[in-house]
Amino acid sequence: KIKGKRKMMMINDPVILKLDYVSLAQENSYAGENRREFYKKTEIDSSRNSPRKLRSGRTGQRICGVSLEKERNKISLKTASGVLNSKIISEKNVETEMGKPKFNWREIPLIKELDINNLKIKILDKSNKELIGGVAVNIGNPHLIFFVNNLDLFNLEKIGPKLEKHEYFPEKCNVTLAKIINQESIKVKVWERSAGLTKACGTAACATAIAAERNGLVKKETNIKFEQGDLSISIDKENIVRMKGPVSNIEKIKINI
């Protein structure tokens, strides 16, 4: 169990408890701090029963923030949105099969049938200049992506909370501002629902690549650039999305059980 200022995460998944190592990630709301550390199985008391994962607010993330490592190079992880298959491709690089994105308005979900490639949602930059757009997709969580010319012109900390709770998204949504650098690279800033600004979000990286490729802005293999690192996203012929990136220890945290 991890307790933070605005959230609590609890694990009870038998798949996790059978692992030799578990890595837990905690983002500090609004501060955007990410904390991740590996723990040996013997350090976690599997006799406790608790919910798999909880976040602040009424709606939790279906896929986010919990990563796993086993001594073998492959593992499958059950989540509320399905099974994720991962493999260790080098010492500190992991590739995860994220599955197929959902585009149907009921599956995202949206409150009604809309043009998911242009929701016609209005946002304002720092000089109150209006931008209308918004792409919706679900890849484990509902996502809302805006493609902008300059990330620095927008205050995501200000507009993120409003967009997260936009009336079109009954389960709320993650919000991404994305700048196309070229056909193989996108720079992003992300606001996670019920969490706030974050330095990295795997499903947001996937959703951004999907939205950009679907609208002809990038190729099927794209690098998503966050503030402190990159993720490589690929989409195959069957529309299956794979995410590849580095694993690193950031800061030790204490877990009281």
PDB file of all heavy atoms in Angstrom, residues 21 31 55 62 84 92-93 95 100 111-113 124 127 144 151 159-161 211 232-233 235 245 250:
ATOM      1  N   TYR A  21       9.746 -10.027  -8.396  1.00  0.00           N
ATOM      2  CA  TYR A  21       9.978  -8.608  -8.135  1.00  0.00           C
ATOM      3  C   TYR A  21       8.750  -7.814  -8.533  1.00  0.00           C
ATOM      4  O   TYR A  21       8.071  -8.132  -9.503  1.00  0.00           O
ATOM      5  CB  TYR A  21      11.192  -8.082  -8.929  1.00  0.00           C
ATOM      6  CG  TYR A  21      12.502  -8.648  -8.483  1.00  0.00           C
ATOM      7  CD1 TYR A  21      12.974  -9.841  -9.014  1.00  0.00           C
ATOM      8  CD2 TYR A  21      13.263  -7.993  -7.511  1.00  0.00           C
ATOM      9  CE1 TYR A  21      14.174 -10.380  -8.597  1.00  0.00           C
ATOM     10  CE2 TYR A  21      14.467  -8.528  -7.083  1.00  0.00           C
ATOM     11  CZ  TYR A  21      14.920  -9.712  -7.625  1.00  0.00           C
ATOM     12  OH  TYR A  21      16.110 -10.246  -7.202  1.00  0.00           O
ATOM     13  N   ALA A  31       2.145  18.049  -8.557  1.00  0.00           N
ATOM     14  CA  ALA A  31       3.585  18.304  -8.520  1.00  0.00           C
ATOM     15  C   ALA A  31       4.285  17.565  -9.635  1.00  0.00           C
ATOM     16  O   ALA A  31       5.401  17.893 -10.003  1.00  0.00           O
ATOM     17  CB  ALA A  31       4.167  17.874  -7.174  1.00  0.00           C
ATOM     18  N   ARG A  55      -7.286   5.040  -6.870  1.00  0.00           N
ATOM     19  CA  ARG A  55      -6.757   6.385  -7.062  1.00  0.00           C
ATOM     20  C   ARG A  55      -7.698   7.379  -6.414  1.00  0.00           C
ATOM     21  O   ARG A  55      -8.856   7.079  -6.155  1.00  0.00           O
ATOM     22  CB  ARG A  55      -6.632   6.728  -8.554  1.00  0.00           C
ATOM     23  CG  ARG A  55      -5.352   6.193  -9.176  1.00  0.00           C
ATOM     24  CD  ARG A  55      -5.271   6.679 -10.611  1.00  0.00           C
ATOM     25  NE  ARG A  55      -4.039   6.205 -11.218  1.00  0.00           N
ATOM     26  CZ  ARG A  55      -2.950   6.920 -11.334  1.00  0.00           C
ATOM     27  NH1 ARG A  55      -2.918   8.155 -10.855  1.00  0.00           N
ATOM     28  NH2 ARG A  55      -1.876   6.437 -11.918  1.00  0.00           N
ATOM     29  N   ARG A  62      -7.480   2.366 -15.383  1.00  0.00           N
ATOM     30  CA  ARG A  62      -7.572   0.946 -15.651  1.00  0.00           C
ATOM     31  C   ARG A  62      -6.202   0.373 -15.996  1.00  0.00           C
ATOM     32  O   ARG A  62      -5.903  -0.767 -15.674  1.00  0.00           O
ATOM     33  CB  ARG A  62      -8.545   0.681 -16.813  1.00  0.00           C
ATOM     34  CG  ARG A  62      -9.994   0.948 -16.423  1.00  0.00           C
ATOM     35  CD  ARG A  62     -10.898   0.868 -17.628  1.00  0.00           C
ATOM     36  NE  ARG A  62     -12.280   1.070 -17.197  1.00  0.00           N
ATOM     37  CZ  ARG A  62     -13.171   0.102 -17.138  1.00  0.00           C
ATOM     38  NH1 ARG A  62     -12.841  -1.127 -17.430  1.00  0.00           N
ATOM     39  NH2 ARG A  62     -14.393   0.352 -16.760  1.00  0.00           N
ATOM     40  N   LEU A  84      -1.896  -7.627 -20.420  1.00  0.00           N
ATOM     41  CA  LEU A  84      -0.763  -6.979 -21.062  1.00  0.00           C
ATOM     42  C   LEU A  84       0.403  -7.951 -21.074  1.00  0.00           C
ATOM     43  O   LEU A  84       0.798  -8.482 -20.036  1.00  0.00           O
ATOM     44  CB  LEU A  84      -0.363  -5.709 -20.303  1.00  0.00           C
ATOM     45  CG  LEU A  84      -1.425  -4.613 -20.181  1.00  0.00           C
ATOM     46  CD1 LEU A  84      -0.852  -3.418 -19.444  1.00  0.00           C
ATOM     47  CD2 LEU A  84      -1.956  -4.202 -21.550  1.00  0.00           C
ATOM     48  N   LYS A  92      17.722  -2.876 -19.402  1.00  0.00           N
ATOM     49  CA  LYS A  92      16.775  -1.929 -18.823  1.00  0.00           C
ATOM     50  C   LYS A  92      15.796  -1.394 -19.864  1.00  0.00           C
ATOM     51  O   LYS A  92      15.367  -0.251 -19.812  1.00  0.00           O
ATOM     52  CB  LYS A  92      17.520  -0.773 -18.147  1.00  0.00           C
ATOM     53  CG  LYS A  92      18.166  -1.163 -16.829  1.00  0.00           C
ATOM     54  CD  LYS A  92      18.630   0.048 -16.054  1.00  0.00           C
ATOM     55  CE  LYS A  92      19.146  -0.358 -14.675  1.00  0.00           C
ATOM     56  NZ  LYS A  92      19.542   0.813 -13.866  1.00  0.00           N
ATOM     57  N   ASN A  93      15.415  -2.244 -20.807  1.00  0.00           N
ATOM     58  CA  ASN A  93      14.426  -1.872 -21.811  1.00  0.00           C
ATOM     59  C   ASN A  93      13.346  -2.935 -21.890  1.00  0.00           C
ATOM     60  O   ASN A  93      13.649  -4.133 -21.961  1.00  0.00           O
ATOM     61  CB  ASN A  93      15.082  -1.693 -23.179  1.00  0.00           C
ATOM     62  CG  ASN A  93      15.734  -0.341 -23.330  1.00  0.00           C
ATOM     63  OD1 ASN A  93      15.064   0.644 -23.650  1.00  0.00           O
ATOM     64  ND2 ASN A  93      17.030  -0.270 -23.087  1.00  0.00           N
ATOM     65  N   GLU A  95       9.421  -4.025 -23.607  1.00  0.00           N
ATOM     66  CA  GLU A  95       8.377  -3.803 -24.609  1.00  0.00           C
ATOM     67  C   GLU A  95       7.082  -4.433 -24.117  1.00  0.00           C
ATOM     68  O   GLU A  95       7.074  -5.577 -23.662  1.00  0.00           O
ATOM     69  CB  GLU A  95       8.767  -4.417 -25.949  1.00  0.00           C
ATOM     70  CG  GLU A  95       7.726  -4.175 -27.042  1.00  0.00           C
ATOM     71  CD  GLU A  95       8.113  -4.810 -28.363  1.00  0.00           C
ATOM     72  OE1 GLU A  95       7.920  -6.031 -28.510  1.00  0.00           O
ATOM     73  OE2 GLU A  95       8.632  -4.075 -29.225  1.00  0.00           O
ATOM     74  N   LYS A 100      -5.361  -3.535 -28.808  1.00  0.00           N
ATOM     75  CA  LYS A 100      -5.944  -2.720 -29.873  1.00  0.00           C
ATOM     76  C   LYS A 100      -6.699  -1.526 -29.288  1.00  0.00           C
ATOM     77  O   LYS A 100      -7.400  -1.666 -28.285  1.00  0.00           O
ATOM     78  CB  LYS A 100      -6.915  -3.556 -30.712  1.00  0.00           C
ATOM     79  CG  LYS A 100      -6.244  -4.672 -31.500  1.00  0.00           C
ATOM     80  CD  LYS A 100      -7.262  -5.410 -32.365  1.00  0.00           C
ATOM     81  CE  LYS A 100      -6.580  -6.504 -33.183  1.00  0.00           C
ATOM     82  NZ  LYS A 100      -7.549  -7.208 -34.055  1.00  0.00           N
ATOM     83  N   ILE A 111     -20.267  10.416 -24.124  1.00  0.00           N
ATOM     84  CA  ILE A 111     -21.653  10.532 -23.666  1.00  0.00           C
ATOM     85  C   ILE A 111     -22.634  10.326 -24.813  1.00  0.00           C
ATOM     86  O   ILE A 111     -23.800   9.955 -24.610  1.00  0.00           O
ATOM     87  CB  ILE A 111     -21.882  11.898 -22.978  1.00  0.00           C
ATOM     88  CG1 ILE A 111     -23.166  11.857 -22.156  1.00  0.00           C
ATOM     89  CG2 ILE A 111     -21.903  13.035 -23.986  1.00  0.00           C
ATOM     90  CD1 ILE A 111     -23.345  13.051 -21.240  1.00  0.00           C
ATOM     91  N   LYS A 112     -22.171  10.538 -26.066  1.00  0.00           N
ATOM     92  CA  LYS A 112     -23.017  10.350 -27.241  1.00  0.00           C
ATOM     93  C   LYS A 112     -22.122  10.157 -28.463  1.00  0.00           C
ATOM     94  O   LYS A 112     -20.896  10.306 -28.393  1.00  0.00           O
ATOM     95  CB  LYS A 112     -23.931  11.557 -27.453  1.00  0.00           C
ATOM     96  CG  LYS A 112     -23.186  12.868 -27.682  1.00  0.00           C
ATOM     97  CD  LYS A 112     -24.156  14.033 -27.847  1.00  0.00           C
ATOM     98  CE  LYS A 112     -23.408  15.339 -28.044  1.00  0.00           C
ATOM     99  NZ  LYS A 112     -24.339  16.489 -28.214  1.00  0.00           N
ATOM    100  N   GLU A 113     -22.711   9.812 -29.584  1.00  0.00           N
ATOM    101  CA  GLU A 113     -21.927   9.606 -30.802  1.00  0.00           C
ATOM    102  C   GLU A 113     -21.418  10.946 -31.326  1.00  0.00           C
ATOM    103  O   GLU A 113     -22.193  11.874 -31.565  1.00  0.00           O
ATOM    104  CB  GLU A 113     -22.772   8.909 -31.866  1.00  0.00           C
ATOM    105  CG  GLU A 113     -21.971   8.526 -33.095  1.00  0.00           C
ATOM    106  CD  GLU A 113     -22.756   7.663 -34.066  1.00  0.00           C
ATOM    107  OE1 GLU A 113     -23.979   7.467 -33.827  1.00  0.00           O
ATOM    108  OE2 GLU A 113     -22.159   7.191 -35.045  1.00  0.00           O
ATOM    109  N   LEU A 124      -8.137  27.398 -24.674  1.00  0.00           N
ATOM    110  CA  LEU A 124      -7.497  28.706 -24.821  1.00  0.00           C
ATOM    111  C   LEU A 124      -6.034  28.613 -24.441  1.00  0.00           C
ATOM    112  O   LEU A 124      -5.671  27.924 -23.483  1.00  0.00           O
ATOM    113  CB  LEU A 124      -8.187  29.748 -23.935  1.00  0.00           C
ATOM    114  CG  LEU A 124      -9.668  30.016 -24.199  1.00  0.00           C
ATOM    115  CD1 LEU A 124     -10.220  30.988 -23.157  1.00  0.00           C
ATOM    116  CD2 LEU A 124      -9.875  30.566 -25.609  1.00  0.00           C
ATOM    117  N   SER A 127      -2.547  33.412 -24.098  1.00  0.00           N
ATOM    118  CA  SER A 127      -2.958  34.742 -24.560  1.00  0.00           C
ATOM    119  C   SER A 127      -4.438  34.775 -24.939  1.00  0.00           C
ATOM    120  O   SER A 127      -4.894  35.691 -25.616  1.00  0.00           O
ATOM    121  CB  SER A 127      -2.102  35.162 -25.764  1.00  0.00           C
ATOM    122  OG  SER A 127      -2.275  34.260 -26.841  1.00  0.00           O
ATOM    123  N   LEU A 144      -8.002  12.145 -24.385  1.00  0.00           N
ATOM    124  CA  LEU A 144      -8.335  13.308 -25.198  1.00  0.00           C
ATOM    125  C   LEU A 144      -7.037  13.979 -25.610  1.00  0.00           C
ATOM    126  O   LEU A 144      -6.241  14.371 -24.759  1.00  0.00           O
ATOM    127  CB  LEU A 144      -9.212  14.280 -24.397  1.00  0.00           C
ATOM    128  CG  LEU A 144      -9.523  15.641 -25.019  1.00  0.00           C
ATOM    129  CD1 LEU A 144     -10.284  15.480 -26.325  1.00  0.00           C
ATOM    130  CD2 LEU A 144     -10.315  16.500 -24.030  1.00  0.00           C
ATOM    131  N   LEU A 151       3.726  23.859 -27.482  1.00  0.00           N
ATOM    132  CA  LEU A 151       3.288  23.388 -26.168  1.00  0.00           C
ATOM    133  C   LEU A 151       3.393  24.468 -25.100  1.00  0.00           C
ATOM    134  O   LEU A 151       2.577  24.527 -24.173  1.00  0.00           O
ATOM    135  CB  LEU A 151       4.120  22.172 -25.741  1.00  0.00           C
ATOM    136  CG  LEU A 151       3.923  20.887 -26.544  1.00  0.00           C
ATOM    137  CD1 LEU A 151       4.925  19.838 -26.083  1.00  0.00           C
ATOM    138  CD2 LEU A 151       2.506  20.359 -26.413  1.00  0.00           C
ATOM    139  N   ILE A 159      -5.855  24.162 -17.706  1.00  0.00           N
ATOM    140  CA  ILE A 159      -6.939  23.639 -18.546  1.00  0.00           C
ATOM    141  C   ILE A 159      -7.154  22.137 -18.351  1.00  0.00           C
ATOM    142  O   ILE A 159      -8.238  21.623 -18.652  1.00  0.00           O
ATOM    143  CB  ILE A 159      -6.685  23.943 -20.042  1.00  0.00           C
ATOM    144  CG1 ILE A 159      -5.421  23.220 -20.537  1.00  0.00           C
ATOM    145  CG2 ILE A 159      -6.589  25.440 -20.272  1.00  0.00           C
ATOM    146  CD1 ILE A 159      -5.147  23.450 -22.022  1.00  0.00           C
ATOM    147  N   GLY A 160      -6.137  21.437 -17.825  1.00  0.00           N
ATOM    148  CA  GLY A 160      -6.246  19.999 -17.631  1.00  0.00           C
ATOM    149  C   GLY A 160      -7.411  19.563 -16.757  1.00  0.00           C
ATOM    150  O   GLY A 160      -8.187  18.667 -17.138  1.00  0.00           O
ATOM    151  N   PRO A 161      -7.581  20.162 -15.557  1.00  0.00           N
ATOM    152  CA  PRO A 161      -8.677  19.744 -14.671  1.00  0.00           C
ATOM    153  C   PRO A 161     -10.058  19.908 -15.309  1.00  0.00           C
ATOM    154  O   PRO A 161     -10.956  19.100 -15.072  1.00  0.00           O
ATOM    155  CB  PRO A 161      -8.514  20.663 -13.462  1.00  0.00           C
ATOM    156  CG  PRO A 161      -7.088  21.087 -13.484  1.00  0.00           C
ATOM    157  CD  PRO A 161      -6.711  21.174 -14.926  1.00  0.00           C
ATOM    158  N   ALA A 211      -3.678   8.499 -32.362  1.00  0.00           N
ATOM    159  CA  ALA A 211      -4.431   9.633 -32.894  1.00  0.00           C
ATOM    160  C   ALA A 211      -3.689  10.308 -34.043  1.00  0.00           C
ATOM    161  O   ALA A 211      -4.289  10.682 -35.058  1.00  0.00           O
ATOM    162  CB  ALA A 211      -4.702  10.641 -31.776  1.00  0.00           C
ATOM    163  N   SER A 232       8.922   4.549 -27.378  1.00  0.00           N
ATOM    164  CA  SER A 232       8.743   4.195 -28.782  1.00  0.00           C
ATOM    165  C   SER A 232       7.437   3.427 -28.937  1.00  0.00           C
ATOM    166  O   SER A 232       7.225   2.408 -28.282  1.00  0.00           O
ATOM    167  CB  SER A 232       9.916   3.337 -29.262  1.00  0.00           C
ATOM    168  OG  SER A 232       9.716   2.932 -30.601  1.00  0.00           O
ATOM    169  N   ILE A 233       6.562   3.921 -29.796  1.00  0.00           N
ATOM    170  CA  ILE A 233       5.255   3.305 -30.003  1.00  0.00           C
ATOM    171  C   ILE A 233       5.152   2.802 -31.440  1.00  0.00           C
ATOM    172  O   ILE A 233       5.478   3.519 -32.386  1.00  0.00           O
ATOM    173  CB  ILE A 233       4.106   4.305 -29.749  1.00  0.00           C
ATOM    174  CG1 ILE A 233       4.285   5.010 -28.394  1.00  0.00           C
ATOM    175  CG2 ILE A 233       2.768   3.598 -29.840  1.00  0.00           C
ATOM    176  CD1 ILE A 233       4.282   4.107 -27.202  1.00  0.00           C
ATOM    177  N   ILE A 235       2.557   0.488 -34.258  1.00  0.00           N
ATOM    178  CA  ILE A 235       1.228  -0.033 -34.561  1.00  0.00           C
ATOM    179  C   ILE A 235       1.375  -0.994 -35.730  1.00  0.00           C
ATOM    180  O   ILE A 235       1.832  -0.603 -36.802  1.00  0.00           O
ATOM    181  CB  ILE A 235       0.250   1.097 -34.933  1.00  0.00           C
ATOM    182  CG1 ILE A 235       0.238   2.177 -33.841  1.00  0.00           C
ATOM    183  CG2 ILE A 235      -1.153   0.559 -35.161  1.00  0.00           C
ATOM    184  CD1 ILE A 235      -0.477   3.460 -34.247  1.00  0.00           C
ATOM    185  N   GLY A 245      10.335   1.059 -24.031  1.00  0.00           N
ATOM    186  CA  GLY A 245      11.049   2.142 -23.368  1.00  0.00           C
ATOM    187  C   GLY A 245      11.913   1.648 -22.235  1.00  0.00           C
ATOM    188  O   GLY A 245      11.877   0.466 -21.859  1.00  0.00           O
ATOM    189  N   ILE A 250      14.052   5.633  -9.636  1.00  0.00           N
ATOM    190  CA  ILE A 250      14.076   7.074  -9.423  1.00  0.00           C
ATOM    191  C   ILE A 250      14.315   7.420  -7.963  1.00  0.00           C
ATOM    192  O   ILE A 250      15.190   8.209  -7.641  1.00  0.00           O
ATOM    193  CB  ILE A 250      12.745   7.702  -9.907  1.00  0.00           C
ATOM    194  CG1 ILE A 250      12.582   7.457 -11.416  1.00  0.00           C
ATOM    195  CG2 ILE A 250      12.707   9.197  -9.615  1.00  0.00           C
ATOM    196  CD1 ILE A 250      11.269   7.929 -11.972  1.00  0.00           C
TER     197      ILE A 250
END
